[in-house]
Amino acid sequence: MELNRRELMLGSLVGLGLQTVKPDRASATTAYTLPAWTPGMLDIHHIDTGVGNATFIMGPDGTTILIDCGATRGGPPASTPLRPNDTRRAGEWVARYALRHARAAKRTTLDYMIATHVHPDHVGSPKDGDPKAPEGYVLSGLSEVDALMPADLVIDRGFPDYDPLPLIDAPFAANHFAWLTARLQNGRKVQHVAVGSKEQLVSRTPGAFTVRFTGGNGRVWSGGNGQSRDLLPPRQSWTPEGTPEENHMSIALVLEYGPFRYFTGGDLVADTHDGAIPWLDVETPIARATGQVDVAAANHHGYFDACWPEFARTLAADTYVIQAWHATHPAMASLQRMADAWRGRPTKDVFITRLDPASRAVNERFVPKVKSTEGHVVVRVSPDGHYRTFVTDSRDETDQLRFTGDIKASKRLQTHAPFPSIGR
């Protein structure tokens, strides 16, 4: 898709909502809906299903990317209720959402699908009665989206050998592996993440935007294109307490569009067992490799073992999105850090896709500082580096606005300086 100056200017005006006056806080019954994507705009949709992570990205050139599609199956109190409702599975809802928003670019497929790590709230979970593909695997989460909105390339944290950490022996992991194996057998592409690379995921129009994988599968970007190093000690030195888990292996990336930067890192964690095993903190070195960003998705849903002090200090995002679905999301300390809710400081913008009632009670002290506690969180970035955050109603498919944020300038526009990253 070729972009010209007129299209870019129109995209900036229409996409950021500058063509009409809208209230900063819209009620759930407002007639205003999210303006459609236009060429030149970057849209990052954090989809509120209530049962796991799902992030759909529309690049400024029409490139389509899906990061995760969770499908926890316990229901309350294990997770918040499925949105919009339980008449469809999470994979169906996410595919319908992505297809609806990709229609503006006349897209019906995904260029890329990223499985940050293999847990049910990120890749799906089979359940008796779920439909099956002809190859025998169950359609759930990512595999179901792939059946409805096929992906050209799936980027996985460690397929096929999952070295150094094998997949857990569980039905959801076996189903994920069966889906990826079937893709290969059918001549469809699957790759394990190339940490440090800016060439594994490329825009349809060369140079429209860039994505660098700054972490994944126990490695971190070490500077230079495609270069990375191990975060974990040799496997033979692991102990029963000092053994990484699937969350430690999560894929992390930074997306850059002009001066704007966005970070997401799956379920990266920082818990060192109170300093007993320092290397279990994979969050900090990956954050340091990434450097400052404008918008960041919270690691591990803002759980107690993630979004530790160095995460917030190093990324220094102005806007955080917490993809929550459980009573433990987010932890109070994690929420305080992301909001920067210390006495005498201006708070950061924090958006939560779904705040469970129990979590609301626990976090009562900081909830008033949160911009939104339910709904799809959409970050829209214009070609000049300004961005705006919208929240749309997740109870139906009409994309009605619940919140329209102020237009913000990216850090690079504010400081006219590059972001520090490696070696910071």
Side-chain angles (χ1 to χ4, degrees), residues 342-364:
W342 311 99
R343 188 179 304 162
R345 297 186 191 177
T347 56
K348 303 291 186 70
D349 287 354
V350 175
F351 297 85
I352 303 174
T353 54
R354 188 87 63 81
L355 189 65
D356 181 90
S359 180
R360 181 182 292 274
V362 170
N363 286 293
E364 182 179 3

Side-chain angles (χ1 to χ4, degrees), residues 168-237:
I168 188 173
D169 183 12
F172 67 83
N175 192 69
H176 179 77
F177 187 85
W179 162 56
L180 296 182
T181 300
R183 277 186 60 99
L184 280 186
Q185 292 173 344
N186 291 328
R188 304 177 67 203
K189 294 184 291 184
V190 181
Q191 296 176 2
H192 63 76
V193 64
V195 177
S197 175
K198 288 177 71 174
E199 279 77 44
Q200 189 172 29
L201 192 161
V202 295
S203 54
R204 294 169 69 88
T205 301
F209 64 93
T210 63
V211 169
R212 187 189 297 279
F213 293 101
T214 55
N217 206 38
R219 301 186 67 82
V220 61
W221 176 39
S222 59
N225 191 32
Q227 297 179 359
S228 63
R229 63 175 177 85
D230 283 323
L231 284 170
L232 313 176
R235 188 170 178 178
Q236 59 268 25
S237 68

Side-chain angles (χ1 to χ4, degrees), residues 119 157 165 243-250 280:
H119 273 165
R157 74 95 169 161
L165 185 70
T243 295
E245 299 175 348
E246 186 67 23
N247 287 339
H248 292 85
M249 317 306 282
S250 293
L280 285 178

Side-chain angles (χ1 to χ4, degrees), residues 68-99:
D68 290 338
C69 178
T72 57
R73 310 302 289 269
S79 64
T80 50
L82 177 63
R83 288 272 178 95
N85 55 56
D86 61 3
T87 61
R88 302 179 187 273
R89 294 171 301 279
E92 289 183 280
W93 285 125
V94 169
R96 289 169 64 91
Y97 183 100
L99 285 166

Side-chain angles (χ1 to χ4, degrees), residues 54-56 64-69 94 110 112-114 142 145:
T55 304
F56 174 65
T64 51
I65 305 166
L66 180 68
I67 304 173
D68 290 338
C69 178
V94 169
L110 290 165
Y112 300 95
M113 184 179 280
I114 300 171
L142 284 178
V145 175

